[in-house]
């Protein structure tokens, strides 16, 4: 009886070891494949969640897969970090072994992208500008403006939206703590803080809408898509 128990323990350990090794190899190969499809030094990685990996691989069904990429470029904005979580993903074992992802599907994909505040401030030609949530889907900007050789603090609320794979900023009238700002200076600042020149095409899937928030001074976009396939997952289809 003891020998049987010992044998079962050894078998269990071997299975667990094989599962761990298989997961690590699959994650490494998937990360390398993703790196080959993405431009620049994005340093992508793939993580396959759940136990057991081998059972998921044999069935071709994965409960949760996470792909991350750091340092993406969105038009004029650099160093963007993005993560996509695929849920109930399906890929036949034969395709996985051959590296074919044409038949990959997922019931849901969740995206989170972090746009550095300093990158956005530099693009808007307002270095040192800071961001905070203003409620009602708006972002509040704190910056300064020079009038007659003096510097005054400025607050501007910006409507931020996502449509057709573009990030659009629309500035509202500025507030200068009771200071009367010359119309030309106010209009110039408002125009600089209003743009639709930030493409989102480097993100994992096309965006028609997204939630926008501010965390730690950075702009954070979150979005979801349902019933996605390889054609919609641009990080995969890019190859």
């Amino acid at each position: 009886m003891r020998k049987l128990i010992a044998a079962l323990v050894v078998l269990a350990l071997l299975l667990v070891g094989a599962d761990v090794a298989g997961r690590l190899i699959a994650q490494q190969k998937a990360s390398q494949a993703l790196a080959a499809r993405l431009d620049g030094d994005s340093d992508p990685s793939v993580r396959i969640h759940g136990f057991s990996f081998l059972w998921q691989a044999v069935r071709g069904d994965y409960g949760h897969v996470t792909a991350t990429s750091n340092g993406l470029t969105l038009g004029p904005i650099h160093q963007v970090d993005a993560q996509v979580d695929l849920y109930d993903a399906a890929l036949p074992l034969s395709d996985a072994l051959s590296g074919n992802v044409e038949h990959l599907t997922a019931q849901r994909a969740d995206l989170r992208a972090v746009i550095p505040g300093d990158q956005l401030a530099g693009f808007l030609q307002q270095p040192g500008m800071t961001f905070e949530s203003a409620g009602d889907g708006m972002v509040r900007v704190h910056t300064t403006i020079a009038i007659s050789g003096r510097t005054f603090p400025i607050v501007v609320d910006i409507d931020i939206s996502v449509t057709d794979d573009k990030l659009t900023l629309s500035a509202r009238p500025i507030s200068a703590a009771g200071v009367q700002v010359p119309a030309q200076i106010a209009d110039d600042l408002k125009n600089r803080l209003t743009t639709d020149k930030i493409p989102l095409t480097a993100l994992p899937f096309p965006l028609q809408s997204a939630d926008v928030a501010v965390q730690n001074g950075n702009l954070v976009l979150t979005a979801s898509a349902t019933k996605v396939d390889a054609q919609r997952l641009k990080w995969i289809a890019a190859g």
Side-chain angles (χ1 to χ4, degrees):
M1 187 59 156
R2 289 181 179 178
K3 291 183 178 180
L4 176 59
I5 294 175
L8 290 174
V9 170
V10 171
L11 178 60
L13 291 174
L14 290 173
L15 289 174
V16 170
D19 195 88
V20 171
R23 185 192 306 272
L24 292 175
I25 293 172
Q27 290 178 159
Q28 182 181 36
K29 288 185 175 296
S31 299
Q32 292 171 347
L34 186 57
R37 289 178 167 85
L38 296 178
D39 296 328
D41 301 322
S42 55
D43 190 26
S45 65
V46 175
R47 182 182 178 189
I48 302 170
H49 304 269
F51 186 84
S52 105
F53 163 75
L54 294 178
W55 179 238
Q56 293 184 88
V58 169
R59 294 169 55 208
D61 293 321
Y62 302 87
H64 182 193
V65 178
T66 299
T68 61
S69 185
N70 301 321
L72 290 176
T73 296
L74 304 181
I77 307 297
H78 304 280
Q79 300 303 314
V80 176
D81 295 341
Q83 174 178 308
V84 60
D85 287 278
L86 304 179
Y87 295 94
D88 297 323
L91 181 66
L93 178 59
S94 58
D95 286 357
L97 293 174
S98 65
N100 179 17
V101 294
E102 292 181 3
H103 303 111
L104 174 68
T105 62
Q107 292 302 303
R108 190 177 97 238
D110 291 346
L111 166 70
R112 186 177 188 272
V114 180
I115 298 175
D118 59 349
Q119 284 283 323
L120 185 56
F123 167 64
L124 297 174
Q125 303 178 50
Q126 285 294 123
M129 182 170 61
T130 61
F131 305 85
E132 67 178 7
S133 295
D136 296 328
M138 290 190 299
V139 171
R140 180 158 295 160
V141 167
H142 294 269
T143 186
T144 58
I145 195 169
I147 303 175
S148 300
R150 296 179 61 189
T151 300
F152 298 92
I154 295 291
V155 176
V156 186
D157 286 344
I158 300 179
D159 291 304
I160 300 183
S161 61
V162 173
T163 53
D164 297 328
D165 248 0
K166 289 193 302 184
L167 185 69
T168 299
L169 284 65
S170 180
R172 295 192 174 189
I174 70 174
S175 171
V179 177
Q180 183 65 38
V181 180
Q184 183 175 353
I185 295 177
D187 289 344
D188 178 64
L189 178 60
K190 183 178 179 181
N191 288 337
R192 275 189 282 128
L193 300 183
T194 298
T195 182
D196 63 354
K197 304 298 185 182
I198 305 176
L200 303 176
T201 51
L203 296 181
F205 55 82
L207 297 183
Q208 295 302 318
S209 64
D211 293 326
V212 182
V214 177
Q215 294 180 9
N216 300 321
N218 301 317
L219 211 62
V220 179
L221 308 181
T222 55
S224 294
T226 57
K227 298 186 183 304
V228 297
D229 56 26
Q231 297 305 312
R232 292 186 64 193
L233 291 170
K234 293 182 290 186
W235 279 4
I236 294 174

